[in-house]
Amino acid sequence: MDNKTENDDDNAGIDVILTDDVEKGPHCVHACRDRKDCNFFQWEDEKVSEARRLAREAENRSKRPSFSHLEYCTRFRTFVSLSLEEKRFCQDCELLLLPGEHEDHSSHASRTVTAAELRRPSVLLRPLDNKKSNAQFLFTDRSSHFLLETLAALGYRKLLCVGTPR
């Protein structure tokens, strides 16, 4: 069932489209700012060949997380209970490593993780290579503190950041 709001004064000219059919549209595993950088861009009404659809699905499967949300939560609880020497983060896999996994990642770039870094986990991530296509925004600590202090001074107590990990 599709629901679409009408343009009126309440939504400032923004159309909000809600759909129950998540399989209707294509799913892209990356966020390209320029559609020329996306191998799988397609217009809503564009017909896609079976080969292209299968290629997109294979790419999406290859980018799926290694663990379920519940498994990641369990891993995190185990990770925080480890000693500092055991707390390692694989930068290549972007994964908090448990002690039995260190050997499997020995050829990867990894580092020790502090408690302060666990409170701000995005500092562990390396910037992506292509700023133009990856649409990432990594704020400096100074910028982040300015924004947070300004919002707090305005009385905001909750904030949702989308696409701004730092």
Side-chain angles (χ1 to χ4, degrees), residues 122 125-128 136-140 144 163-166:
S122 65
L125 304 175
R126 292 185 291 197
L128 300 173
Q136 67 178 346
F137 300 94
L138 302 176
F139 295 118
T140 64
S144 296
T164 55
R166 290 192 190 154

Side-chain angles (χ1 to χ4, degrees), residues 9-163:
D9 292 334
D10 292 339
N11 62 13
I14 298 171
D15 289 334
V16 177
I17 301 172
L18 304 173
T19 182
D20 293 336
D21 187 4
V22 295
E23 297 304 317
K24 186 176 182 180
H27 301 282
C28 182
V29 295
H30 35 64
C32 296
R33 293 167 60 180
D34 186 342
R35 71 174 181 244
K36 289 179 249 166
D37 291 332
C38 179
N39 296 333
F40 299 111
F41 177 82
Q42 77 180 69
W43 294 103
E44 179 182 16
D45 58 351
E46 180 182 357
K47 299 293 181 209
V48 178
S49 71
E50 183 69 9
R52 187 169 175 212
R53 184 186 67 76
L54 291 173
R56 181 177 58 229
E57 288 175 3
E59 174 76 3
N60 288 350
R61 274 192 304 278
S62 75
K63 301 292 185 194
R64 283 194 187 126
S66 303
F67 303 100
S68 70
H69 178 72
L70 180 59
E71 290 169 322
Y72 276 119
C73 290
T74 302
R75 290 176 62 82
F76 181 76
R77 283 188 205 96
T78 302
F79 188 86
V80 296
S81 69
L82 299 173
S83 67
L84 180 60
E85 302 80 42
E86 294 176 300
K87 291 180 180 173
R88 304 285 303 165
F89 176 74
C90 178
Q91 291 180 305
D92 293 342
C93 300
E94 296 184 339
L95 182 66
L96 297 172
L97 300 176
L98 299 179
E101 299 167 341
H102 293 187
E103 183 62 32
D104 295 339
H105 297 263
S106 61
S107 64
H108 298 178
S110 67
R111 58 189 298 272
T112 303
V113 179
T114 66
E117 290 169 324
L118 278 180
R119 287 191 293 276
R120 295 186 61 216
S122 65
V123 299
L124 297 170
L125 304 175
R126 292 185 291 197
L128 300 173
D129 295 332
N130 187 336
K131 291 179 183 177
K132 182 179 178 193
S133 66
N134 294 128
Q136 67 178 346
F137 300 94
L138 302 176
F139 295 118
T140 64
D141 282 343
R142 182 176 176 220
S143 296
S144 296
H145 289 296
F146 170 78
L147 290 171
L148 289 173
E149 289 166 7
T150 301
L151 292 168
L154 291 170
Y156 291 97
R157 297 291 170 250
K158 295 183 181 182
L159 177 68
L160 173 65
C161 293
V162 178

